[in-house]
Amino acid sequence: MSLQTASVTGGTSSETMLKLKQFMSNRGAVLGLVIVMTLIVVALFAPMIAPYDPQMMGAGRRLQPPSFAYPFGTDEFGRDLYSRVIYGSRLTLLIAAIAVGIALAVGLTIGLIGGYAGGWTERVVMRLVDVVFSFTETLIALAAVAILGPSLKNAMIAVGIATMPFYARICYSTVLVEKNKPYFEATVAAGAGHARILFLHLLPNILPTMVVVATLGVSTAILAAAGLSFLGLGAQPPSPEWGWMLSAGRDYFSRAPWMMIVPGVAIAITVLGFNLLGDGVREILDPRQTNRR
Amino acid sequence: MFRYLTHRIGTALLTVWITTIAVAMLIHIVPGDPVQIMYAQSQGTTPEQLEEIRTRLGLNEPIWVQYGMFVSRIVQGDFGQTIRGNQPVLDLLIGRLPNTLLLASVSLVIAALVGVVFGFFAAYKRGTAVDTGLMITALIGVSMPHFWLGLILLFVFAVNLAWLPVAGEDWRSLVLPAITLGVANAGIIARLTRSSMIDILNQDFVRTARAKGLHKGTILYRHVLMAGLIPVVTMLGLQFTYMLGGAIVVENVFAWNGIGRLAIQAIFQRDYPLIQGFILIFACLVVTVSLIMDLLYAVLDPRVRLS
Amino acid sequence: MSSPILTVDNLTIGFGRSAEQAPAVRNLSYYLNANETLAIVGESGSGKSVSSMALLGLLPQGTSRILNGTAMFDGRDLLHLGEEDQRTIRGKRISMIFQEPMTSLNPVLTIGRQMTEVVQAHDPGAANVEKLAVTMLDRVRLPDPSGMMKRYPHQLSGGQRQRVMIAMALINRPEILIADEPTTALDVTVQAQILELMRELKDQFGTSMLLITHDMGVVAETADRVIVMKQGERVEEGTVTGLFENPTHSYTRKLLAAVPKIGTSDVPPKADATAGSRAPVVEAKDLNKTFRSKGHDVHALNEVSFSIPPGETLALVGESGSGKSTAARAILRLMEVDSGEILMDGQDIRQFGTQLLRKSRKQMQMIFQDPYGALDPRMRVDRLVAEPMRIHNIASGRELQDRTEALFRQVGLTADQMRRYPHEFSGGQRQRLCIARALGVEPKLIVADEPTSALDVSIQAQVIELMLDLQQRLGLSYLFISHDLAVVEQMSHSIAVMLHGRIVEVGPRDAVLKTPAHAYTRELLNAIPIPDPQRTRGKLTVTDRSAFSKGPLLPVSEFHLAAS
């Protein structure tokens, strides 16, 4: 048994209902979904939710502790941290979408081609992916930023490139598994051409796996991008990016600990949400995991 | 066995070779004129001087000649001079390397001890409250940015309580960074160990062991742990390379003088020879660790050892 | 017969949330006498394995529950013992062997370690454990028993591993041996040897045996009494002779009728081939294929030649690793051979480029062993059945839909099932879908690779009937790959026997089955379990595989050739 026998997109409505029920009965997954949905709503309606302009400075209210007027306190320029965290969620989601988008698009293409083509193409492509993979995400992201220069845009690209080998390898091994299933041979024996095999058979069968990988990959991307911003290699001031806010806060830790705690908690909760959601999605898409609860 | 080893060594050499190409090309991928960028911050560099540097770095030669020069220098142990301070790159890196290795190794021991014990125990108690509790802990560990965890520890234990030094070179300064890096990775190891052990627990041979009437302890130790440890060992190897990557960030939080801290400085200063040297050293480290792990794997698994 | 040593009463077991409403085993009662072999027979899902695992407390933890019942053994109820009491019985007084010899042994421990630990678990101070283990390995007739102690499972064949399992199960001289499909995963000649060994050791050790199987042939040869199970319930019980001669329950009769018996079926009628041409549909000439595996060459195909006339079936018979599936794939060029010719309409399809090859696949279609895997799980079945017609531009739009519907009816499915997905069909229905899919392009030849071996016997019989019927109506030729001589007898007009990548005997069906000329063919025939308790087989002769003659094929009689 594997992912493919339990389909979500391909199943009937009754089966989809069953999967949905299974998902809803997993409390962690539901919590993850709630966190992620909340985050999306907050990001979409940031101007309506945030009480202040995130960049509005005020000399008279520097380093204010959390209060009714400033729920999360203020920073060294008197900016409202609550509003900054709310606007920061937009950046976090943007980073996640772009970095994961790059990694997924490139990784999927490489994995699909490497796995389907076989022979020399496979060996060369996958060996290169292995080499990149062995360097770990942090180093690749650093190298990419070293080349491109520090900026939020470059950090997103760097994280996308750095996490791509992971997607490529999973896609590749999923293609190999699919290629070994009888239906693949049956399709070739029926006389199908490359396009039909690739797009009508292989792609629909590997997509659920890649959805799981991408959901879990969002967490990695957010952490990696925040790390780059923390080091000063990503978002630049006065951006309300959480990693950068955290880094700025450390100089004031003794006087204003909330400056560092607030963005850190925001990152941790967001990452936790995506991790919980990813685990939940994996559980309903992969029957081998379902019997563990 | 022999084929397995030659294959692994071949892969390792290939990785290093590809890295030398990538590193040599690095300077050409940079948008704009690298020499201009590198020396933009130095005052009063004349165009003649820039041209001289260009010639010295071989940037006026055809690309393959440059690569040839680059490799022949590297093979002789000449990684060039840093742009800031004109120090030999290799000496600088080698000098900092032990600190990074020490940090990563101690962290790995912490992460492995905590992670394997948690993961094994959760798998054994799977489906119970103990399992859920352990896995929630692990998930929170995985979700926390480790630089944040590091900062919190730093301010609580070093600044406020003053139990440990804020920065330094002795073992007491190692405690906090090692715990930071170790705890962050223990979560990952615990999750992987748990799923690996559950895989083993569902194997037919565990059912056989039960049918034979073996003691629970014997089944868990001799059958499950021994078989389940093989993938865990492979995983620890991979984890060590991750620790080396994570060390880059943690070193910056704790001002720990490893190659990671050096690398970030180099990136800010656009010190390309130093960046190149760092990537090469890092590549050699990663390759060596993977090779050791592959060897260990072969020793542990009779299916590889006896093939 | 003495008094029962094991008495099971009202055993009821449920799984998951629906445990109470729909138990997997319902009110099962039986007894087992000393020195007796009791067979529990049933098809997949009958609850036969579950009920025996429950006796030793080996049911999957968490998901399954014993809802009711007792199992009395030596004055104690096995189902309600504490874990430690259960443990002292497992492997010591009641032991068990399983179906999967490849995965039932721990891959990282030596055979010796796994043998001796069974003794030590029950008697920590036991002396001479090593010696006892070697003796046991010798008694299950493993070569070089002391050398075997130091080896690891992956160095042994499937049959050898099952011998180790038997040695392990009997080393403590248990009173009861539970054997769960012990030979199902093995080749027929290996199966015969293992069954013979089990019968022999059971008598020598004075052990009673609970044999769980789906194979009526195995039952007839091994059991004293039989229980037939269907969907969790016992439907019939009796002595083996009584049950085979006089089955009372309709399900038992159905099971027995569905078992292919060799030597009972007529040659299937040949299809009225299209317009007189007797030229072969496909002809393979001197196919060779070598795989490199772990440093040495394996000849998967060695000078393999055969031809299939229109409207006829050629069966390729052999055990695992004989090269029969390689030959099937080679014919369709799903795998490239090293040398040889594959002729269709006088043209060698090995010379075809990609486009011509794809066109040529209209002429020949394939159906596979695993109907669960052969259909893309994410495609609706009407699209799957229509796919080959779409690929080869045979029809489109309304016409395609009509043709698809006609195909569904042709294989015994209905039009209202067309909009479903493969997982909503049973194994037999899926194989029908595969057949419908193959028929759409009106092929001349269908290559069928073990099309019935993944199916229960009753379903197997229906699929064979459908294939024979279609051959008659459509004038199809089949290349039929199978390890099961009884099925081959029902399906084929001629038979080729393969061994180590070579055809060692080929000829008309009756010539090969009734007057086998090659020693290996005779051994294969001799090894088939006969579903008739009255007909016992003589002592098996087991020949070393490499000793069989593998020279060029020489005629024995007209059309009948055997290796010299």
Side-chain angles (χ1 to χ4, degrees):
Chain A
M1 291 286 267
S2 76
L3 283 171
Q4 281 63 39
T5 40
S7 94
V8 165
T9 52
T12 54
S13 60
S14 71
E15 204 203 0
T16 313
M17 284 307 293
L18 200 76
K19 292 281 166 200
L20 207 63
K21 255 185 165 169
Q22 194 190 339
F23 182 86
M24 296 311 280
S25 68
N26 178 345
R27 270 175 288 172
V30 174
L31 178 64
L33 187 67
V34 169
I35 294 175
V36 171
M37 293 308 286
T38 311
L39 191 75
I40 292 172
V41 169
V42 166
L44 281 178
F45 300 103
M48 280 169 244
I49 298 168
Y52 306 100
D53 181 328
Q55 307 298 6
M56 189 182 70
M57 303 187 196
R61 46 168 207 268
R62 283 182 191 159
L63 303 176
Q64 298 263 317
S67 64
F68 191 75
Y70 307 104
F72 294 165
T74 61
D75 67 6
E76 76 273 28
F77 298 112
R79 294 176 296 202
D80 175 37
L81 278 180
Y82 177 61
S83 304
R84 285 178 71 73
V85 166
I86 285 172
Y87 274 90
S89 67
R90 293 184 150 190
L91 292 175
T92 299
L93 286 183
L94 186 72
I95 291 163
I98 291 182
V100 172
I102 292 173
L104 185 62
V106 180
L108 188 76
T109 313
I110 289 180
L112 207 54
I113 291 171
Y116 180 69
W120 272 106
T121 320
E122 172 181 340
R123 257 173 268 173
V124 172
V125 169
M126 293 323 291
R127 192 52 53 82
L128 279 174
V129 167
D130 280 350
V131 169
V132 181
F133 185 73
S134 66
F135 284 108
T136 77
E137 284 138 17
T138 320
L139 184 79
I140 300 292
L142 279 180
V145 171
I147 294 167
L148 300 168
S151 80
L152 184 60
K153 187 186 85 191
N154 291 346
M156 292 190 244
I157 297 170
V159 172
I161 296 170
T163 49
M164 178 278 289
F166 182 66
Y167 293 72
R169 276 167 59 125
I170 301 231
C171 178
Y172 168 73
S173 53
T174 314
V175 170
L176 288 196
V177 170
E178 292 302 318
K179 259 176 92 176
N180 270 318
K181 287 189 182 165
Y183 83 81
F184 182 87
E185 203 174 33
T187 312
V188 176
H194 297 308
R196 172 170 284 271
I197 295 172
L198 272 172
F199 297 113
L200 289 179
H201 292 280
L202 277 182
L203 200 56
N205 277 293
I206 61 168
L207 225 44
T209 312
M210 297 313 289
V211 167
V212 176
V213 174
T215 319
L216 291 168
V218 169
S219 311
T220 318
I222 292 175
L223 282 177
L228 285 178
S229 294
F230 172 79
L231 292 173
L233 297 170
Q236 301 295 318
S239 163
E241 201 277 336
W242 294 345
W244 165 251
M245 283 166 67
L246 209 163
S247 175
R250 69 171 150 171
D251 293 338
Y252 299 92
F253 185 82
S254 303
R255 287 164 63 196
W258 54 88
M259 275 185 67
M260 211 183 77
I261 292 172
V262 167
V265 172
I267 297 172
I269 289 178
T270 306
V271 172
L272 185 71
F274 278 104
N275 273 333
L276 285 170
L277 184 67
D279 282 354
V281 175
R282 177 172 53 197
E283 221 163 82
I284 57 168
L285 289 179
D286 188 351
R288 278 170 309 174
Q289 300 276 335
T290 51
N291 52 11
R292 73 179 191 194
R293 259 167 214 274
Chain B
M1 178 78 174
F2 179 71
R3 280 169 58 88
Y4 172 83
L5 284 184
T6 48
H7 179 79
R8 291 300 147 135
I9 294 171
T11 310
L13 291 177
L14 187 77
T15 306
V16 175
W17 178 57
I18 292 176
T19 313
T20 62
I21 296 178
V23 165
M25 293 305 115
L26 184 119
I27 215 158
H28 295 277
I29 316 169
V30 178
D33 180 355
V35 178
Q36 285 275 359
I37 295 168
M38 279 190 275
Y39 290 91
Q41 288 153 11
S42 332
Q43 300 295 316
T45 320
T46 62
E48 289 76 33
Q49 280 171 304
L50 287 182
E51 193 52 39
E52 193 226 300
I53 293 162
R54 216 169 263 133
T55 317
R56 204 180 73 212
L57 292 175
L59 289 173
N60 293 330
E61 304 286 334
I63 218 150
W64 56 87
V65 177
Q66 285 186 40
Y67 177 67
M69 284 163 56
F70 179 74
V71 170
S72 68
R73 277 200 297 120
I74 297 289
V75 170
Q76 292 162 26
D78 176 12
F79 281 49
Q81 310 282 312
T82 61
I83 290 173
R84 311 272 172 260
N86 253 338
Q87 287 171 281
V89 167
L90 189 62
D91 295 354
L92 200 57
L93 286 168
I94 296 286
R96 299 281 194 99
L97 192 58
N99 278 340
T100 299
L101 285 179
L102 183 66
L103 172 60
S105 311
V106 176
S107 310
L108 183 73
V109 173
I110 295 173
L113 283 179
V114 177
V116 171
V117 170
F118 271 40
F120 184 70
F121 202 59
Y124 175 59
K125 292 270 176 195
R126 67 185 184 281
T128 66
V130 177
D131 175 24
T132 313
L134 285 175
M135 282 306 110
I136 288 176
T137 314
L139 196 61
I140 292 174
V142 171
S143 302
M144 260 188 305
H146 45 307
F147 48 89
W148 183 62
L149 175 69
L151 283 175
I152 301 279
L153 291 177
L154 183 72
F155 283 108
V156 173
F157 293 102
V159 178
N160 287 359
L161 297 172
W163 290 354
L164 292 160
V166 175
E169 297 277 321
D170 63 340
W171 69 267
R172 278 159 36 92
S173 341
L174 180 64
V175 175
L176 289 178
I179 288 178
T180 303
L181 199 51
V183 166
N185 286 281
I188 302 174
I189 293 179
R191 279 159 64 93
L192 291 172
T193 305
R194 179 179 178 272
S195 67
S196 163
M197 290 297 167
I198 286 180
D199 272 356
I200 301 286
L201 282 167
N202 289 331
Q203 295 282 318
D204 289 336
F205 67 76
V206 175
R207 186 182 60 185
T208 308
R210 291 181 63 207
K212 292 199 293 194
L214 303 187
H215 289 278
K216 220 169 204 163
T218 316
I219 298 177
L220 282 180
Y221 175 72
R222 193 182 293 157
H223 288 265
V224 179
L225 194 59
M226 289 314 229
L229 226 45
I230 293 169
V232 171
V233 164
T234 326
M235 183 184 83
L236 287 181
L238 194 66
Q239 213 57 40
F240 188 72
T241 61
Y242 269 89
M243 298 252 174
L244 288 171
I248 299 172
V249 180
V250 173
E251 282 174 10
N252 277 280
V253 173
F254 291 96
W256 181 257
N257 260 330
I259 54 169
R261 192 146 173 257
L262 197 61
I264 301 295
Q265 287 162 1
I267 291 173
F268 275 119
Q269 296 168 348
R270 300 196 166 259
D271 199 330
Y272 286 105
L274 189 52
I275 296 174
Q276 287 176 317
F278 169 72
I279 297 177
L280 274 178
I281 291 283
F282 198 90
C284 294
L285 262 182
V286 166
V287 162
T288 315
V289 172
S290 327
L291 256 185
I292 293 172
M293 286 303 151
D294 287 339
L295 272 174
L296 203 57
Y297 182 69
V299 171
L300 285 175
D301 194 332
R303 283 165 295 188
V304 179
R305 190 185 344 136
L306 299 171
S307 68
Chain C
M1 288 277 169
S2 54
S3 66
I5 59 167
L6 174 72
T7 315
V8 175
D9 262 312
N10 285 317
L11 178 61
T12 303
I13 304 167
F15 277 95
R17 291 202 186 113
S18 58
E20 313 269 345
Q21 297 89 330
V25 177
R26 275 188 301 279
N27 296 326
L28 179 68
S29 302
Y30 63 84
Y31 60 91
L32 176 68
N33 290 321
N35 298 321
E36 183 191 42
T37 298
L38 173 68
I40 301 183
V41 190
E43 295 184 303
S44 45
S46 63
K48 58 188 192 299
S49 286
V50 175
S51 60
S52 54
M53 301 260 253
L55 297 182
L56 289 182
L58 292 178
L59 287 174
Q61 286 160 331
T63 54
S64 57
R65 269 185 298 156
I66 296 170
L67 300 168
N68 191 20
T70 56
M72 298 308 292
F73 171 70
D74 194 20
R76 291 192 290 176
D77 181 2
L78 290 175
L79 304 179
H80 296 95
L81 284 180
E83 172 64 27
E84 180 58 21
D85 285 335
Q86 243 175 6
R87 185 193 71 75
T88 54
I89 291 176
R90 286 201 291 257
K92 170 77 179 162
R93 304 188 60 189
I94 305 179
S95 54
M96 188 155 183
I97 53 180
F98 301 95
Q99 175 174 355
E100 304 82 8
M102 303 318 263
T103 52
S104 289
L105 292 168
N106 190 327
V108 299
L109 296 179
T110 58
I111 300 299
R113 193 90 191 82
Q114 299 187 57
M115 289 286 296
T116 53
E117 69 178 2
V118 199
V119 182
Q120 284 156 348
H122 299 282
D123 181 6
N128 291 329
V129 187
E130 298 271 329
K131 229 180 105 193
L132 177 62
V134 175
T135 316
M136 281 309 296
L137 290 176
D138 189 41
R139 292 192 71 167
V140 296
R141 294 196 214 105
L142 279 165
D144 182 22
S146 39
M148 197 58 84
M149 296 283 284
K150 295 184 201 71
R151 301 176 80 178
Y152 287 91
H154 73 272
Q155 298 168 305
L156 275 58
S157 71
Q160 287 177 324
R161 290 186 211 191
Q162 203 61 309
R163 285 170 194 270
V164 172
M165 285 295 290
I166 293 171
M168 249 163 40
L170 293 178
I171 194 165
N172 282 331
R173 296 188 164 259
E175 287 135 274
I176 301 175
L177 173 66
I178 302 175
D180 188 357
E181 302 266 14
T183 56
T184 307
L186 303 173
D187 277 327
V188 61
T189 51
V190 183
Q191 161 171 296
Q193 295 160 22
I194 297 282
L195 286 176
E196 191 177 295
L197 179 74
M198 282 171 61
R199 278 196 302 268
E200 224 179 87
L201 291 176
K202 177 189 144 312
D203 290 343
Q204 288 171 12
F205 283 76
T207 306
S208 308
M209 185 154 76
L210 201 56
L211 176 74
I212 291 112
T213 182
H214 69 284
D215 189 331
M216 282 295 186
V218 171
V219 173
E221 287 199 349
T222 320
D224 301 311
R225 275 189 312 122
V226 189
I227 285 173
V228 181
M229 284 187 74
K230 184 194 180 189
Q231 287 162 16
E233 286 185 53
R234 185 183 74 175
V235 296
E236 185 161 2
E237 185 195 346
T239 62
V240 71
T241 38
L243 188 109
F244 273 81
E245 277 166 18
N246 218 346
T248 51
H249 195 278
S250 62
Y251 180 69
T252 313
R253 279 200 292 274
K254 202 179 125 203
L255 265 188
L256 284 171
V259 178
K261 290 180 207 60
I262 198 144
T264 54
S265 60
D266 298 325
V267 178
K270 291 177 188 181
D272 195 13
T274 40
S277 162
R278 298 299 299 156
V281 174
V282 70
E283 201 174 354
K285 280 188 177 164
D286 304 327
L287 301 184
N288 281 294
K289 173 78 184 176
T290 310
F291 291 111
R292 272 196 78 78
S293 143
K294 287 178 188 165
H296 50 85
D297 291 344
V298 178
H299 275 272
L301 294 178
N302 195 342
E303 298 292 310
V304 169
S305 305
F306 54 81
S307 73
I308 307 173
E312 285 194 31
T313 302
L314 170 70
L316 281 184
V317 180
E319 296 182 297
S320 50
S322 63
K324 57 189 194 303
S325 286
T326 309
R329 279 168 178 73
I331 288 291
L332 295 172
R333 268 189 72 184
L334 289 172
M335 173 188 284
E336 301 293 343
V337 291
D338 300 335
S339 65
E341 287 175 24
I342 301 160
L343 301 172
M344 277 188 84
D345 299 327
Q347 283 180 293
D348 184 1
I349 65 161
R350 282 194 64 216
Q351 309 303 326
F352 285 1
T354 324
Q355 289 305 315
L356 270 176
L357 174 67
R358 271 169 56 191
K359 265 191 203 138
S360 76
R361 283 186 170 146
K362 188 176 163 299
Q363 306 288 319
M364 40 189 190
Q365 292 284 305
M366 181 155 183
I367 49 183
F368 295 83
Q369 169 170 8
D370 174 16
Y372 294 89
L375 297 166
D376 183 345
R378 288 186 185 274
M379 203 177 247
R380 232 168 51 196
V381 291
D382 56 343
R383 286 162 175 263
L384 277 167
V385 169
E387 186 174 41
M389 293 189 279
R390 212 187 275 273
I391 292 168
H392 297 287
N393 288 322
I394 286 179
S396 63
R398 184 74 224 164
E399 196 199 346
L400 183 69
Q401 215 173 333
D402 290 345
R403 274 178 176 249
T404 310
E405 209 178 307
L407 284 169
F408 266 72
R409 280 196 298 272
Q410 201 163 25
V411 297
L413 295 168
T414 53
D416 60 308
Q417 294 170 312
M418 285 173 61
R419 299 180 70 80
R420 297 187 186 167
Y421 283 86
H423 69 264
E424 296 171 74
F425 293 84
S426 69
Q429 286 176 320
R430 288 189 212 194
Q431 201 56 290
R432 286 171 193 269
L433 285 169
C434 292
I435 294 170
R437 186 174 144 92
L439 290 177
V441 293
E442 294 169 0
K444 291 182 189 159
L445 172 73
I446 289 182
V447 177
D449 187 5
E450 304 258 15
T452 60
S453 55
L455 306 172
D456 280 330
V457 272
S458 52
I459 310 296
Q460 186 175 325
Q462 292 166 14
V463 171
I464 290 171
E465 204 174 308
L466 174 68
M467 287 181 70
L468 288 173
D469 178 55
L470 289 171
Q471 180 167 52
Q472 275 296 299
R473 282 196 283 153
L474 307 173
L476 290 170
S477 301
Y478 290 126
L479 176 61
F480 190 82
I481 317 293
S482 182
H483 70 282
D484 187 337
L485 280 170
V487 173
V488 162
E489 188 190 36
Q490 289 183 310
M491 277 297 298
S492 54
H493 303 97
S494 43
I495 296 175
V497 180
M498 288 190 76
L499 171 67
H500 294 334
R502 278 181 167 275
I503 291 180
V504 292
E505 177 161 5
V506 58
R509 187 195 89 150
D510 282 352
V512 173
L513 294 183
K514 289 183 180 148
T515 55
H518 195 273
Y520 177 64
T521 314
R522 284 196 291 272
E523 198 177 296
L524 274 182
L525 282 163
N526 205 13
I528 303 169
I530 306 159
D532 180 354
Q534 302 297 339
R535 276 170 50 189
T536 44
R537 178 170 53 197
K539 185 102 176 118
L540 276 175
T541 50
V542 180
T543 325
D544 179 12
R545 286 288 135 86
S546 51
F548 286 120
S549 49
K550 282 181 219 152
L553 291 169
L554 294 177
V556 183
S557 59
E558 201 187 3
F559 305 124
H560 186 184
L561 304 108
S564 53

